[in-house]
């Protein structure tokens, strides 16, 4: 989680409470809209209430104005927010329908509403529960008049006749993306969101292959440029183009979990060639999409096959939070080796059979029980201990109780477990492999041995002895690994800088570096900033 995201999450956790009538999901969406316009968001809220402090805090680096017609609420909320009085003359729920435009126009828009160009407007007042309440006819009408194409407008209680009629007439339009956010509180309550046409934020959702739908994650989402990152997916980039989400300030990054072989390269050629031409996006895909490859071999193959594309050698494990995995000299060494791997055939646990003292870290799986992903009973190889489904902190502790880490698959992608071993100060015994984990190996920190149980056991014994003799140290292994992680991180940043400069965006290199590094920090594997196994992208 980035520092900014964590800050907003903390604010909502602190200031959202049961007296606030807007639902928590609705609050999160509004918060995203506000932060999408930050810093400097101009936020207008019709209605002072228990949520006033929440909006003020979420828009901490912008300007927030709350307008309220009820004197008591003005006084009570003035200590929490910038509240100014407003009046709604001669208007009630009863006389709001049918819509009378002449009646609307005879009421001048208050000057206080015209003092800013509003980025986000929330219409949550005046009350409209009974026929004698003022209702929201004027506030919705005024919101439509003082908004620009870039303005997000939220109309609460959209299920009620006045709100729906006026919002449909003055807010909804074929020129804007609008959708309804539901909240259940004994009955279905709706909020209408008219999405502002601004590149800072969009109502975009990703759908992954288990059909889970969630707001799209942005690696960087700033007014001057933004970066979206997809893991093992290129088709969503086509979706984004067709939804109008690619302007000159938008960049997409594609990373891969498995080895990029010749077939995958052919698929990419098709995507960047025929498919791109068919939807008229060839220049976008060539100029604003970056492919990152886990191994040098994959990089060279992709570069030869796709010479006009932006391709960088960036091993995925550089997105590990290396503060989670450390050398802990206080933990007693109990095992000769540790193997952190799912109980699947391609992980080749049988190669550990001659290692007498070993601990397995493993996980529940939902891969197809066939071929490379066939389920294996790892207890058949007599581990000293099996730890299942443990936290990252526990992984560090268990790994640190062993002398050597094992990586024994023949083919996969970047191997997070292997780099985690190195960050914990463990040398690694690996078999020859495809996929990129060897990008972190050298003569100091590893041995590459034949895929034979005896050779694995011999190599474990050799690296253990080197540690005991002081020929290698855990601290140096970790330090060298961090240098390699930073090398890949800066390779990624350099590739992005090139694209930004080509696009003519006047953003200093230091700003690009700072934004990307902050996104990576405390965001292990970019879980909160990367879209995994996305099948499609769609509007709200």
């Amino acid at each position: 989680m980035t520092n900014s995201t964590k800050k907003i999450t903390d604010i909502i956790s602190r200031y959202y409470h049961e007296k606030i009538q807007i639902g928590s999901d609705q609050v999160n969406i509004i918060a995203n809209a506000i932060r999408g316009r930050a810093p400097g968001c101009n936020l207008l809220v019709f209605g002072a209430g228990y949520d006033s402090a929440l909006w003020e805090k979420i828009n901490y680096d912008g300007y927030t104005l709350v307008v309220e017609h009820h004197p008591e609420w003005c006084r009570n909320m003035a200590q929490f927010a910038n509240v100014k009085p407003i009046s709604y003359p001669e208007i009630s729920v009863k006389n709001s329908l049918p819509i009378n435009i002449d009646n609307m126009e005879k009421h001048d828009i208050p000057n206080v509403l015209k003092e800013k160009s509003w980025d986000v407007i929330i219409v949550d007042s005046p009350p409209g529960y009974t026929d004698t309440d003022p209702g929201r006819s004027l506030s919705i009408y005024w919101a439509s008049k003082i908004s620009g194409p870039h303005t997000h407008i939220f109309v609460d209680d959209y299920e009620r006749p006045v709100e729906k009629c006026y919002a449909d007439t003055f807010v909804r339009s074929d020129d804007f993306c609008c959708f309804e956010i539901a909240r259940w509180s004994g009955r279905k309550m709706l909020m209408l969101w008219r999405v502002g046409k601004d590149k800072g934020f969009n109502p975009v959702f990703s759908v992954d292959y288990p059909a889970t739908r969630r707001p799209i994650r942005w690696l960087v989402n700033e007014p001057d440029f933004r970066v979206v990152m997809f893991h093992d997916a290129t088709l969503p980039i086509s979706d984004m183009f067709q939804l109008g989400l690619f302007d000159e300030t938008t960049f997409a990054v594609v990373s891969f979990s498995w080895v990029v072989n010749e077939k995958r390269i052919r698929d990419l050629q098709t995507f960047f060639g025929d498919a791109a031409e068919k939807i008229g996006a060839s220049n976008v895909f060539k100029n604003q999409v970056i492919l990152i490859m886990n191994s040098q071999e994959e990089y060279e193959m992709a570069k030869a096959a796709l010479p006009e594309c932006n391709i960088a050698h960036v091993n995925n494990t550089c997105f590990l939070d290396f503060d989670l995995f450390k050398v802990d000299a206080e933990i007693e060494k109990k095992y000769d080796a540790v193997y952190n791997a799912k109980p699947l055939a391609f992980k080749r646990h049988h190669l550990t059979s001659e290692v007498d003292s070993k601990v397995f870290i493993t996980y529940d799986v939902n891969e197809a029980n066939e071929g490379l992903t066939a389920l294996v009973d790892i207890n058949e190889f007599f581990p000293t201990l099996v730890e299942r489904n443990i936290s990252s902190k526990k992984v560090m502790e268990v790994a640190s109780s062993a002398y050597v880490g094992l990586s024994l698959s023949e083919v996969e992608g970047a191997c997070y477990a292997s780099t985690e071993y190195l960050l914990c100060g463990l040398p690694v015994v690996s078999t020859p492999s495809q996929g990129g984990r060897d990008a972190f190996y050298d003569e100091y920190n590893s041995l590459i041995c034949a895929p034979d149980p005896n050779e694995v056991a011999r190599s474990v014994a050799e690296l253990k002895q080197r540690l005991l003799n002081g020929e290698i140290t855990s601290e140096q292994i970790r330090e060298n690994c961090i240098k390699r992680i930073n090398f890949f991180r800066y390779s990624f940043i350099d590739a992005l800088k090139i694209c930004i400069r080509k696009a003519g965006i006047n953003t200093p290199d230091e700003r690009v570096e700072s934004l990307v590094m902050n996104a990576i920090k405390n965001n292990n594997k970019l879980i909160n900033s990367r879209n995994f196994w996305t099948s499609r992208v769609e509007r709200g």
Side-chain angles (χ1 to χ4, degrees):
M1 181 182 293
T2 64
N3 291 339
S4 176
T5 302
K6 184 177 185 301
K7 181 171 184 175
I8 298 305
T9 301
D10 291 345
I11 287 172
I12 294 174
S13 176
R14 180 177 178 184
Y15 289 93
Y16 184 81
H17 52 81
E18 60 184 10
K19 289 185 177 181
I20 294 176
Q21 295 180 329
I22 294 178
S24 58
D25 288 344
Q26 297 168 337
V27 166
N28 277 291
I29 290 173
I30 296 172
N32 281 334
I34 294 169
R35 298 314 306 165
R37 297 288 192 258
C41 174
N42 290 323
L43 168 64
L44 172 64
V45 183
F46 284 88
Y50 294 112
D51 55 352
S52 297
L54 176 66
W55 306 129
E56 187 84 27
K57 296 296 182 181
I58 289 173
N59 194 30
Y60 59 86
D61 52 3
Y63 174 79
T64 302
L65 172 64
V66 180
V67 292
E68 173 58 48
H69 78 291
H70 197 290
E72 185 176 352
W73 277 106
C74 280
R75 289 193 300 272
N76 291 343
M77 293 298 116
Q79 60 182 312
F80 303 111
N82 175 30
V83 183
K84 294 184 180 179
I86 195 173
S87 62
Y88 304 96
E90 304 174 14
I91 296 290
S92 69
V93 170
K94 185 175 182 178
N95 64 23
S96 290
L97 295 175
I99 293 176
N100 185 326
I101 296 294
D102 291 338
N103 195 38
M104 293 289 106
E105 291 180 345
K106 77 177 184 181
H107 299 291
D108 293 334
I109 300 174
N111 289 331
V112 70
L113 301 182
K114 298 186 289 186
E115 65 181 35
K116 296 284 184 181
S117 172
W118 301 108
D119 297 300
V120 180
I121 299 175
I122 305 171
V123 181
D124 194 24
S125 182
Y129 299 105
T130 69
D131 284 349
T132 57
D133 285 334
R136 295 179 189 164
S137 54
L138 263 183
S139 55
I140 294 172
Y141 177 71
W142 286 341
S144 73
K145 291 297 183 182
I146 61 176
S147 65
H150 70 290
T151 309
H152 296 289
I153 301 179
F154 295 90
V155 179
D156 199 20
D157 298 308
Y158 175 69
E159 76 282 356
R160 300 192 307 210
V162 170
E163 282 81 350
K164 180 170 177 55
C165 187
Y166 276 79
D168 286 351
T169 302
F170 299 111
V171 176
R172 292 196 89 136
S173 165
D174 291 339
D175 294 332
F176 289 91
C177 174
C178 296
F179 65 97
E180 300 162 14
I181 315 164
R183 178 193 183 192
W184 289 91
S185 180
R187 60 186 177 88
K188 189 176 183 180
M189 304 167 67
L190 295 177
M191 174 182 284
L192 178 71
W193 178 12
R194 191 195 82 176
V195 182
K197 294 182 178 180
D198 191 287
K199 54 183 173 261
F201 181 84
N202 287 282
V204 187
F205 292 81
S206 67
V207 182
D208 64 22
Y209 282 97
T212 302
R213 188 171 183 270
R214 57 170 61 86
I216 200 166
R217 298 174 171 124
W218 295 96
L219 182 73
V220 176
N221 187 14
E222 295 292 320
D224 47 345
F225 78 100
R226 57 183 180 172
V227 182
V228 63
M229 195 169 187
F230 295 104
H231 194 57
D232 284 327
T234 51
L235 291 179
I237 297 175
S238 299
D239 295 338
M240 290 189 68
F241 176 80
Q242 294 179 49
L243 290 170
L245 301 176
F246 264 110
D247 59 12
E248 68 280 2
T249 68
T250 301
F251 304 92
V253 180
V254 180
S255 56
F256 302 93
S257 61
W258 194 256
V259 63
V260 176
N261 53 24
E262 291 182 358
K263 181 184 181 303
R264 194 66 178 267
I265 291 294
R266 288 195 298 271
D267 291 342
L268 290 170
Q269 284 179 308
T270 299
F271 176 75
F272 284 99
D274 296 343
E277 292 294 342
K278 285 177 183 176
I279 65 172
S282 58
N283 288 334
V284 167
F285 290 167
K286 291 173 183 176
N287 299 334
Q288 293 172 242
V289 176
I290 302 171
L291 304 178
I292 60 174
M293 299 291 164
N294 288 315
S295 72
Q296 182 68 26
E297 293 77 14
E298 292 170 357
Y299 166 77
E300 292 173 358
M301 183 168 54
K303 199 66 180 172
L306 301 161
E308 296 184 344
C309 293
N310 303 304
I311 302 170
H313 178 202
V314 179
N315 190 286
N316 264 293
T317 64
C318 77
F319 300 123
L320 279 169
D321 177 7
F322 50 69
D323 288 335
L324 286 177
F325 306 98
K326 302 178 181 180
V327 175
D328 191 338
E330 300 298 317
I331 296 177
E332 179 187 358
K333 298 290 186 184
K334 300 178 182 178
Y335 313 102
D336 289 342
V338 56
Y339 194 18
N340 184 356
K342 289 183 177 181
L344 302 174
F346 80 93
K347 293 294 188 177
R348 304 198 295 191
H349 284 79
H350 67 276
L351 295 178
T352 70
S353 58
E354 296 301 315
V355 179
D356 292 332
S357 175
K358 63 205 174 202
V359 55
F360 287 165
I361 301 173
T362 195
Y363 309 89
D364 294 336
V365 299
N366 48 24
E367 286 86 349
N369 188 13
E370 59 187 19
L372 291 176
T373 57
L375 192 64
V376 173
D377 182 1
I378 58 177
N379 290 302
E380 290 182 359
F381 310 114
F382 305 107
T384 311
L385 176 68
V386 176
E387 293 279 7
R388 183 179 295 273
N389 300 327
I390 58 177
S391 66
S392 296
K393 183 176 186 297
K394 185 68 173 177
V395 167
M396 186 272 290
E397 294 172 355
V398 174
S400 297
S401 67
Y403 285 97
V404 177
L406 298 172
S407 291
L408 303 175
S409 60
E410 181 181 11
V411 178
E412 58 177 300
C415 182
Y416 291 110
S418 178
T419 305
E420 289 169 3
Y421 297 148
L422 297 173
L423 288 172
C424 292
L426 276 66
V428 178
V429 169
S430 173
T431 54
S433 62
Q434 297 177 355
R437 70 174 180 251
D438 57 347
F440 282 84
Y441 297 160
D442 54 39
E443 293 182 355
Y444 188 85
N445 67 15
S446 60
L447 283 174
I448 312 298
C449 69
D452 175 81
N454 290 312
E455 284 299 303
V456 171
R458 183 195 62 77
S459 298
V460 167
E462 181 177 338
L463 286 179
K464 175 183 176 181
Q465 194 59 47
R466 287 187 193 177
L467 272 175
L468 293 173
N469 291 344
E471 295 176 38
I472 57 177
T473 68
S474 295
E475 290 74 18
Q476 191 63 52
I477 290 171
R478 173 180 166 80
E479 182 179 335
N480 293 348
C481 182
I482 290 175
K483 288 179 181 178
R484 191 65 171 158
I485 284 174
N486 283 327
F487 169 80
F488 285 124
R489 289 182 178 183
Y490 281 102
S491 295
F492 175 65
I493 291 169
D494 288 343
L496 182 58
K497 286 178 183 176
I498 291 171
C499 290
I500 289 173
R501 284 195 290 269
K502 283 182 179 177
I505 299 171
N506 188 23
T507 296
D509 286 351
E510 296 79 8
R511 172 172 163 76
V512 177
E513 178 181 324
S514 174
L515 288 169
V516 173
M517 283 299 199
N518 283 337
I520 295 172
K521 186 178 180 181
N522 297 323
N523 187 2
N524 193 37
K525 303 178 186 178
L526 292 183
I527 293 295
N528 298 303
S529 300
R530 179 160 47 171
N531 302 278
F532 291 84
W533 306 293
T534 304
S535 62
R536 66 183 184 275
V537 168
E538 58 189 31
R539 285 202 182 274

